[in-house]
Amino acid sequence: MPFRDTYWNIPDWAITLLYATQALGLIVLLGKLWLRRNMWYKGEGKLPTDRFWERLRRVFKYAVAQVRILRENYSGIMHMSIFLSLIVLFIGTALATIDYDIFVLLFDAKLLQGDFYLVYELVLDFVTLIGIFGLALALGRRATFRPNRLTYSFGFQAMLWILLIDLLSGLLIESFRLAVVQPPWQTWSFAGYAVSRLWVLFGVNEATLQTAHLATWIFHFSLTAVIYAVFLDLPLKHIIYSPLNVFFSSFREPGALRPLDLEDETVEVFGARDIQHFSVMQLLDGDACTECGRCQAACPAWMAGTPLNPKEVVLDIRRALDHYGPVLRRPGSGDGLPEMPVTREFVSEDALWACTTCRACVYECPVLIEHVDSIVDMRRYLVLMEGDMPDLLGNAMMQAERAGNPWGNPRGTRLDWASGLNVPVMAKKKKADVLYWVGCAGAYDPESQKTARAMVKIFEAAGIDYAVLGDEERCNCEWARRAGNEYLYQEATHSNIAVFDQYEFQTIVTHCPHCFNTFANEYPQFGGHYDVVHHSTYITRLINDGHLKLTKPIKELTTYHDSCYLGRYNEVYDDPRSALIQVQDIELVEMPRSRDRGLCCGGGGAQVWFETHQPRPVNEMRLEEAISTGAQSISTACPFCTIMLSSAAQSKGENIPVRDLAVVVAEALG
């Protein structure tokens, strides 16, 4: 199909200038990227390259398909419009370059011709309009709605306007060309054609159009070269860093923290204080952050008015990296670097201790940043290296070490909750199908003792061969691990594994999601491999298999509160609900924030053992949500959640029962 060449009005000198400036811009970009990479590598470890194809699939899912961004209609459509436009236009420009510089000049042939060229023009015009639409949404959002989770800075405004000007200049170039050349296929380039009709309508002469075409063309490629050069200095940098972050992110189970080798005598500092104590991935996290604020909006501690903002924690690490950049860019390894503190200097202690480790931030992050890992690593430094922690938390740790439980109750009272019940003990049986892990709350907290007794009733009604450890149980201290005390956690872990391995059992059943998570996801780090089931899943199986007959109706409207460690950490959402709705006459109503978007009770991350100043306490916010449903009771599947929500009800004078689902099911047995 005959048509004039795209470069009909471009002199050779301009084409030479084009490639010179583009090459220079790319060289600057790659040089800055290499320097930044060297700064990351002053941190601990290295970027992983195993499981290549799985990593590549993950990049397609999160960086290309943007599944997490598309959870939100407005911002999802906005971001996808801009992203799609930039990617397709980049590919289109590359094809035009290949066509002119390889096919035409070297082979005297054309790639972009015939029907393929028509589709090419149609697609490029379409995505140009899509990109302009997305940028208009972004600018309008920042000018009118102004959600407080976003970062408002000159860099973001400049980025959006630069991209908009770049797209508009490209559209103008096409319109000038079509107004002069007027090829028979011009309507396929519908956007450029529509603008070109304006020049014809106003009678702009050909010489003026040619001058405007060349000037706009030079401006367009010069702007592109400038964008390359300043790419990593603007928020645009996440276009490069975010896919890298997704590609290199960890494959660890969501509920598993990175273990410390406490016996490595070469390690001088445990945890993270200075910039070089953070891992390479944690330093990359800061650069990959899109500053979208989804983590901030989902954070219960931020809602409660504490100093913690997960977005700012990640950005503070990036600010520290920039601040110490002159030192980090010096040749040599990370050894022998001077002190470059981040903890306290950039991230406050109050912010660190406010975290409930609920992982709402991690779940919402579109580029897989692990905020909780960085927070825990800084807590590890404070606790292990300085012994610096809230007083009440330190007391709970001391009691867990001395008495085997954070309540400080005598070891010999571990089985007092079972008074009047004939509960089998492993030390006598040696073997059972199910080892029921009661946990510290089940043993000592009055409300959780009801759950433990309900589980005994359920086991016996179903004819299960079970046993408990009794006085051999000791706290697994998973909460202490989240609070930074890896030493106490590992000591408890080795002790519990040694006890487990004395006996024969098929399954560990626990009603505490925190215990469930650490046994299932973290004990394998230390050689403890067990089949671990949360009681909500186990109860549901018993009901579905016909081992439990729920004959007593309970006429009640209840709402179920999702435990973070059961839900977001382990994706157990349906089993607790299934157990509840199979009770006759029970109706289940959902809270506004439920399942993967459920709001934390405020007790995770060891928060149940100490207090942080919260102008609007997390547990009270969650209680208000539950009450707003009109429910007559709150059902839980976690002792910490039961404690926190019961405490909130007491504080606010609300007479609404908070019960573990096992208590409800046991009552329905009659």
Side-chain angles (χ1 to χ4, degrees), residues 596-616:
D596 49 10
R597 291 271 173 91
L599 180 65
C600 181
C601 72
Q607 292 278 329
V608 75
W609 303 116
F610 67 101
E611 295 181 1
T612 55
H613 177 62
Q614 298 178 352
R616 191 180 175 207

Side-chain angles (χ1 to χ4, degrees), residues 12 138 157 174 191 258 285 311 357 433 441 446 480 542 553 555 607:
D12 290 342
Q157 293 295 111
E174 180 71 350
R258 178 176 60 91
D285 277 348
K311 180 181 77 172
T357 68
D433 291 340
L542 292 177
K555 191 171 182 58
Q607 292 278 329

